[in-house]
Amino acid sequence: MLQGLMNLFSLCCKPFGPDGEVLDPNGVLVVGGNAGGSREGKDGLLWFRDIGKYGSGEFSMALIQANQVLEDQSQIESGQFGTFVGIYDGHGGPEAARYVCDHLFSNFRAIAAESEGVVTAETIQRAFHRTEEGFTSLVSELWSSRPNMATKVGNTGGMAAMQLSTEHNANIEAIRHELKELHPNDPHIVVLKHGVWRVKGIIQVSRSIGDVYMKHAEYNREPINSKFRLPEPMNMPILSANPTIISHALHPNDSFLIFASDGLWEHLSNEKAVDIVHGHPRAGSAKRLVKAALQEAARKREMRYSDLRKIDKKIRRHFHDDITVIVLFFNHDLISKGAVQDPPVSIRTALEHR
């Protein structure tokens, strides 16, 4: 297994590279180069791979940019070791999300190799913590020249939707209870501000890689912006990088898995998203979900979808967030045999978005 990991062959993705650019009959830019045998294209601020192959089936992938600088990062890594999918939703800037995209999988791979490829919950936790430690070290190195690095983050017709993730957001009552239990002596650990619950009145997320100003007192001081500085001494970390780990055994009736940043879920329910994927061909599934979310965002603002598409990045952020979607489809024949499709796949999006 270690040898297989070390020999992992990467097919690198450059979404907006200049080579092989052609327009399809609809005027959509199709970018040359394949990863997993997939077609890659760009339509305005929308980037997509309609369909491709990974070790245990097929995938569809898409993202739409809303911020001036894209804060979402994502990746698919698939080979004999299994399949690793990550969507990293930054806020306040892309630095932490980019760092996580650069280091989380490599840390995971290195830690798994220590146990000859055996993956447990501890493997994942150690990979998160090692990545968090690396980012904190980077903040320390750049503190004198780039202190604001301390304030960046890297957070279902016959078909049933099953949610496999937990949102770490102070607007959720259970998360507020968790924070109060962890900080029983702090009456202001969660504060309702302008109708939104925030940790210390500052940030909505309760767990993240990054946000070191909410974890280490030495970074909660000048010269970072005063809105991030706490009025009282920090005696213990307020946020953590501990992941919530949920294990789900695949069943023959499990058809696909949707990974998405919260920009999608702000506009689509689990059930709606699953209905969209289940009711259409696999090719273009991720792009279809992104467009459904954009149509809903336009509807909420009582505007036409065609008009929303004309709005440029940065201003677009007033209407919706960056949205990244990856849909994995399962090939149960391959899974039951323990077989993996070749070649190995390594895809990373958004690295060249600016």
Side-chain angles (χ1 to χ4, degrees):
M1 179 62 72
L2 175 59
Q3 189 62 38
L5 290 171
M6 295 301 101
N7 291 335
L8 179 63
F9 176 68
S10 294
L11 294 170
C12 296
C13 160
K14 293 189 176 181
F16 304 122
D19 298 328
E21 293 183 354
V22 295
L23 293 177
D24 72 5
N26 297 315
V28 175
L29 178 67
V30 179
V31 184
N34 289 321
S38 58
R39 171 182 177 275
E40 178 182 325
K42 181 176 180 288
D43 184 4
L45 295 174
L46 174 68
W47 174 91
F48 58 88
R49 284 184 180 273
D50 278 339
I51 197 73
K53 292 183 178 180
Y54 74 101
S56 299
E58 296 177 310
F59 72 88
S60 181
M61 198 170 188
L63 67 90
I64 186 79
Q65 182 173 358
N67 287 290
Q68 176 66 36
V69 177
L70 185 72
E71 296 181 350
D72 281 7
Q73 300 284 303
S74 59
Q75 66 186 132
I76 301 176
E77 309 287 346
S78 185
Q80 292 297 324
F81 59 88
T83 299
F84 179 103
V85 177
I87 293 183
Y88 316 113
D89 186 351
H91 61 248
E95 287 84 355
R98 289 177 178 172
Y99 185 90
V100 175
C101 199
D102 285 342
H103 295 87
L104 181 58
F105 174 67
S106 59
N107 287 334
F108 169 81
R109 188 171 62 178
I111 292 167
E114 295 172 5
S115 57
E116 299 183 350
V118 176
V119 176
T120 65
E122 183 183 3
T123 309
I124 299 170
Q125 289 172 340
R126 287 180 61 196
F128 268 72
H129 292 156
R130 185 173 294 181
T131 306
E132 165 79 359
E133 290 165 1
F135 185 76
T136 302
S137 295
L138 180 62
V139 170
S140 179
E141 292 172 15
L142 300 176
W143 177 251
S144 60
S145 59
R146 297 180 63 192
N148 285 337
M149 280 281 286
T151 64
K152 309 296 184 182
V153 172
N155 135 64
T156 140
M159 182 67 60
M162 179 182 298
Q163 183 169 324
L164 295 178
S165 62
T166 301
E167 189 174 1
H168 303 130
N169 190 307
N171 272 317
I172 299 172
E173 185 176 4
I175 299 299
R176 296 199 295 276
H177 284 311
E178 176 185 87
L179 288 165
K180 290 175 181 177
E181 289 178 357
L182 290 170
H183 304 272
N185 298 319
D186 187 348
H188 304 297
I189 188 61
V190 286
V191 177
L192 185 63
K193 196 171 183 178
H194 305 302
V196 177
W197 286 99
R198 297 179 182 274
V199 182
K200 301 299 292 183
I202 298 173
I203 189 171
Q204 286 182 256
V205 299
S206 62
R207 305 189 197 191
S208 69
I209 293 176
D211 287 320
V212 299
Y213 74 104
M214 294 287 273
K215 299 170 182 175
H216 305 283
E218 61 264 38
Y219 304 118
N220 196 281
R221 59 182 175 84
E222 293 184 340
I224 69 169
N225 192 298
S226 60
K227 70 180 181 180
F228 296 115
R229 298 202 298 266
L230 300 177
E232 68 281 344
M234 186 189 308
N235 299 317
M236 62 179 290
I238 294 170
L239 304 186
S240 84
N242 293 327
T244 294
I245 299 173
I246 298 173
S247 177
H248 171 75
L250 282 178
H251 299 284
N253 290 334
D254 292 334
S255 298
F256 53 83
L257 187 57
I258 301 172
F259 299 82
S261 54
D262 61 4
L264 183 81
W265 307 117
E266 288 173 359
H267 301 293
L268 297 184
S269 67
N270 294 342
E271 291 74 19
K272 180 63 175 177
V274 165
D275 285 345
I276 290 170
V277 175
H278 180 59
H280 295 86
R282 291 183 173 186
S285 292
K287 180 171 63 178
R288 204 171 287 118
L289 287 171
V290 170
K291 288 186 174 181
L294 296 180
Q295 288 166 349
E296 180 61 17
R299 186 195 66 78
K300 290 176 180 177
R301 299 297 289 267
E302 299 182 344
M303 64 188 300
R304 293 179 299 184
Y305 170 63
S306 59
D307 291 332
L308 176 62
R309 292 186 72 242
K310 297 174 185 175
I311 300 174
D312 202 359
K313 58 188 177 184
K314 188 176 181 179
I315 297 174
R316 182 80 80 91
R317 184 60 183 89
H318 295 291
F319 299 84
H320 65 84
D321 200 355
D322 297 332
I323 303 174
T324 300
V325 180
I326 297 173
V327 184
L328 292 189
F329 296 94
F330 302 123
N331 183 324
H332 287 282
D333 286 338
L334 287 172
I335 293 170
S336 64
K337 296 173 184 176
V340 176
Q341 296 184 120
D342 286 326
V345 172
S346 180
I347 300 174
R348 294 174 62 184
T349 63
L351 293 181
E352 297 192 1
H353 282 257
R354 294 292 183 266

